[in-house]
Amino acid sequence: MNRRIKKISLFVVMALTGCCRVSAQQVNAPTLERPRLVVGIVVDQMRWDYLYRYQKRYVKGGFRRLLNEGFSCENTRIPYVPSVTAIGHTCIYTGSVPSIHGIAGNNFVKNGKKAYCTDDATVKSVGTTSNAGLMSPRNMWVTTIGDEMKIASNGRAKVVGVALKDRASILPAGHNPDGAFWFDDQTGNFITSTYYMNSLPSWVKTFNDERIPDRYLSEKWNTLYDKASYTESTADDNDYENGIKNGVKATLPLNLPTLYNKYGYNIIRNTPFGNSLTLDFAKAAIEGEQLGSDDETDLLTVSCSSTDYIGHQVGTHAIETEDTYLRLDKAIADFLSYLDAKVGKGNYLVFLSADHGAMNNARFLQDRRIPAGTWDDAVAAKKLNVALAKAYPNVGELVKTVMNYQVFFNLNVIKDNNLDFAKIKQTVVDILKEDSCVLYACDMAKTMTESIPDDVRTRIVNGYNRERSGDVAVVLKPNFYTHGMKGTDHGAWNPYDTHIPLVFMGWGIKHGATTRETFMTDITPTIAALLHVQAPNGCVGHAIDLK
């Protein structure tokens, strides 16, 4: 009898254990073979530490939810310089680097002339009479994850890009999206170009007709909470910040109705409400394009640009910055709740990252006895030309410009005068090395033989595009940048500029975190692996093991 009872007990235990195993598998397993929608949220100029600096006042459904439900890659780095917006957005969605994908900066030299990354004179504006729509992705040489999703689905997948900044919408959306839309300061509308379509879709027209920017600009920007409680920030009235416009004091509250009447819709970019407007439009895109409404996986790329405008203006420790992230947290919580209701919790995959970080304000650091300062690239270019004119008189200026922490030369002048380019570059390198702000300077053709740490050298090599980059690289000392003494900037290799957040949440993602080193280039191959589609044709990243 006892033996029989033991057998029955063992059977019951095994059966219950089996049921528990099945239940656990069902909880962790995605309900669909693929997610219905992938949403990429890129927060412009979001340093990794912002995930935690303001965490005590984040709501449950925003950044906290991403961290509590998702998988966080805590040590994600940018593998190139310069670390700027256009390159960051391109890298995230291509898994590639400037050397390969062709977007060598927000601005770069193309065919001997300075060019903006998305300028395209062959197209026309759609939705405005301004030139803000003369844009396309034609300067990008590689495919994006959206392009590959289109190819894999025989065109059935839908891809849409949304941002205030044109480049932050156009480059992520790729070459063959269903639409890329950005904000026009002249009209207060979201617009596009004839590269994509000849007229705005009805849902975009409807959204524009609602005049939502007017609503956001109809009230003052005041802090969400009592200003005295913003203990993560410096005092509101200080010497580290620029005003939203010249002559406007950099303090809150900010009288937005008055500023709007004087300066127009451009004002919204430098307020947290630019992010709110972007996420409002993202919802309209999901509704209008029926994204995530069937079993074919769609892609929505969203960039929150206002964090960058505000960061440049007031820096990384301003009350305005803290308030912007607290408001963005609430807006993201609302957006995720919307996705739960519209697409279904567990039916969408979202990732949140950034295109770059930002340095602490130089004067802020100096006041804390930390070495810091600014470097004027225009002054440096003039100094180089004066020195070169002594060695090479009567040929004109040999340095075209210094930008992106690179020296660009007038190659036609050098060629027409049969000058020794290698010798000219070495002269420039020698002069730069005497600059007290410069840590390293090197001829791009000799980078691999220079005595530069591997991490820095690799970033220089990855960021160098032989057709569009300068021929001499400049690396400033830590906490030095090409910016004034107020606000902040980015573009360097240092952790403050290249350590970014990366969190995946939703379909197929188990909760967890890793401190293993990962890279911005790894985001797209991870998405490609999860979707079982080919990685973009310039991808150099590797799929992240999300466990």
Side-chain angles (χ1 to χ4, degrees):
M1 186 69 178
N2 290 340
R3 197 172 180 183
R4 190 177 174 189
I5 291 172
K6 285 180 181 178
K7 284 184 177 179
I8 293 172
S9 299
L10 181 60
F11 174 81
V12 171
V13 170
M14 290 175 68
L16 290 172
T17 303
C19 289
C20 291
R21 284 175 180 166
V22 170
S23 298
Q25 288 171 354
Q26 288 173 344
V27 168
N28 291 327
T31 57
L32 301 172
E33 290 185 5
R34 288 189 177 94
R36 290 198 173 115
L37 178 64
V38 176
V39 180
I41 302 174
V42 177
V43 182
D44 204 324
Q45 203 185 117
M46 183 176 183
R47 292 163 48 119
W48 166 79
D49 58 340
Y50 288 162
L51 274 177
Y52 301 100
R53 187 189 299 177
Y54 312 126
Q55 191 179 51
K56 64 183 179 182
R57 287 212 285 203
Y58 285 155
V59 298
K60 289 183 179 180
F63 292 123
R64 279 181 182 269
R65 177 180 172 186
L66 288 166
L67 290 171
N68 290 337
E69 294 184 19
F71 189 95
S72 180
C73 300
E74 296 286 291
N75 192 21
T76 300
R77 306 288 174 151
I78 295 175
Y80 57 79
V81 287
S83 46
V84 296
T85 295
I87 304 179
H89 283 81
T90 304
C91 180
I92 286 173
Y93 290 95
T94 65
S96 191
V97 292
S99 178
I100 298 170
H101 62 55
I103 302 300
N106 294 333
N107 297 284
F108 45 80
V109 170
K110 177 183 176 183
N111 300 325
K113 297 180 180 179
K114 187 176 179 180
Y116 178 64
C117 57
T118 52
D119 270 349
D120 188 347
T122 70
V123 301
K124 296 180 180 179
S125 298
V126 175
T128 182
T129 56
S130 75
N131 291 331
L134 305 184
M135 305 285 170
S136 85
R138 286 193 173 108
N139 283 326
M140 184 169 60
W141 294 340
V142 300
T143 59
T144 63
I145 185 64
D147 291 328
E148 296 297 336
M149 289 169 65
K150 281 280 192 181
I151 292 169
S153 65
N154 201 24
R156 293 186 299 275
K158 285 193 170 185
V159 177
V160 177
V162 173
L164 294 183
K165 292 182 180 179
D166 46 63
R167 58 187 180 272
S169 171
I170 291 167
L171 298 169
H175 295 280
N176 189 34
D178 295 87
F181 305 95
W182 54 95
F183 189 71
D184 176 41
D185 292 340
Q186 178 176 293
T187 61
N189 290 337
F190 279 89
I191 63 169
T192 189
S193 82
T194 53
Y195 176 88
Y196 306 98
M197 58 195 70
N198 292 319
S199 62
L200 290 175
S202 59
W203 66 265
V204 177
K205 293 178 182 177
T206 298
F207 183 90
N208 287 336
D209 287 344
E210 292 177 2
R211 310 314 305 162
I212 296 174
D214 298 60
R215 295 182 210 164
Y216 282 125
L217 294 172
S218 65
E219 297 181 2
K220 291 182 179 181
W221 173 13
N222 211 334
T223 52
L224 270 174
Y225 308 103
D226 178 58
K227 193 186 291 188
S229 70
Y230 282 64
T231 56
E232 303 304 324
S233 304
T234 52
D236 196 19
D237 191 358
N238 60 61
D239 219 14
Y240 311 137
E241 305 171 18
N242 280 311
I244 193 170
K245 293 289 182 182
N246 288 336
V248 178
K249 198 169 185 180
T251 57
L252 295 178
L254 204 58
N255 194 326
L256 297 183
T258 299
L259 292 167
Y260 166 51
N261 288 334
K262 186 173 182 179
Y263 298 107
Y265 289 108
N266 172 267
I267 289 297
I268 201 169
R269 294 178 182 268
N270 291 65
T271 75
F273 310 113
N275 294 328
S276 301
L277 175 65
T278 301
L279 290 168
D280 290 340
F281 189 73
K283 292 179 191 175
I286 292 171
E287 298 279 353
E289 296 293 339
Q290 290 296 292
L291 302 179
S293 62
D294 56 31
D295 291 338
E296 197 67 65
T297 305
D298 300 322
L299 173 66
L300 176 65
T301 73
V302 182
S303 180
C304 295
S305 305
S306 289
T307 41
D308 184 67
Y309 291 110
I310 293 166
H312 280 296
Q313 177 193 326
V314 297
T316 60
H317 281 80
I319 285 177
E320 290 89 340
T321 301
E322 183 173 352
D323 196 65
T324 294
Y325 276 91
L326 296 178
R327 290 178 182 274
L328 177 60
D329 176 56
K330 287 177 175 287
I332 287 175
D334 175 72
F335 185 61
L336 294 176
S337 294
Y338 167 81
L339 291 174
D340 289 342
K342 183 66 179 177
V343 185
K345 189 174 183 180
N347 292 337
Y348 64 88
L349 169 64
V350 63
F351 71 84
L352 179 138
S353 192
D355 53 349
H356 55 74
M359 192 184 107
N360 294 320
N361 173 266
R363 184 175 282 120
F364 168 91
L365 292 170
Q366 290 173 355
D367 286 348
R368 286 149 183 80
R369 297 183 293 184
I370 296 173
T374 64
W375 187 70
D376 193 320
D377 46 11
V379 171
K382 185 175 181 180
K383 180 180 177 181
L384 291 172
N385 274 321
V386 168
L388 289 170
K390 295 177 182 178
Y392 304 94
N394 305 318
V395 296
E397 292 188 341
L398 297 181
V399 171
K400 182 190 296 289
T401 187
V402 177
M403 66 176 179
N404 299 333
Y405 298 104
Q406 299 163 358
V407 181
F408 292 78
F409 294 89
N410 283 310
L411 299 179
N412 290 335
V413 173
I414 293 170
K415 183 178 179 181
D416 292 345
N417 289 277
N418 199 27
L419 303 179
D420 187 339
F421 189 29
K423 187 176 180 181
I424 291 170
K425 288 189 289 182
Q426 188 58 52
T427 300
V428 166
V429 167
D430 292 341
I431 294 170
L432 288 169
K433 285 181 177 179
E434 294 175 0
D435 191 317
S436 62
C437 298
V438 173
L439 186 63
Y440 304 110
C442 67
D443 180 346
M444 289 289 200
K446 299 178 180 179
T447 305
M448 297 307 294
T449 60
E450 288 284 337
S451 296
I452 299 174
D454 287 343
D455 280 355
V456 182
R457 181 169 55 239
T458 298
R459 284 172 168 81
I460 294 172
V461 171
N462 286 341
Y464 172 60
N465 185 284
R466 67 179 183 84
E467 293 185 31
R468 296 177 172 179
S469 297
D471 287 288
V472 167
V474 183
V475 179
L476 301 182
K477 290 178 180 176
N479 292 332
F480 282 76
Y481 54 12
T482 57
H483 194 77
M485 291 301 287
K486 294 192 176 185
T488 191
D489 204 4
H490 50 84
W493 67 272
N494 309 77
Y496 46 74
D497 280 357
T498 59
H499 186 190
I500 56 174
L502 175 57
V503 188
F504 296 88
M505 191 197 80
W507 179 91
I509 305 299
K510 296 180 182 180
H511 172 59
T514 181
T515 57
R516 296 189 303 271
E517 187 173 54
T518 54
F519 293 97
M520 179 189 276
T521 43
D522 298 335
I523 298 172
T524 272
T526 302
I527 298 296
L530 290 169
L531 300 184
H532 300 292
V533 301
Q534 184 62 265
N537 59 13
C539 182
V540 296
H542 303 278
I544 301 168
D545 184 6
L546 299 176
K547 59 184 178 181

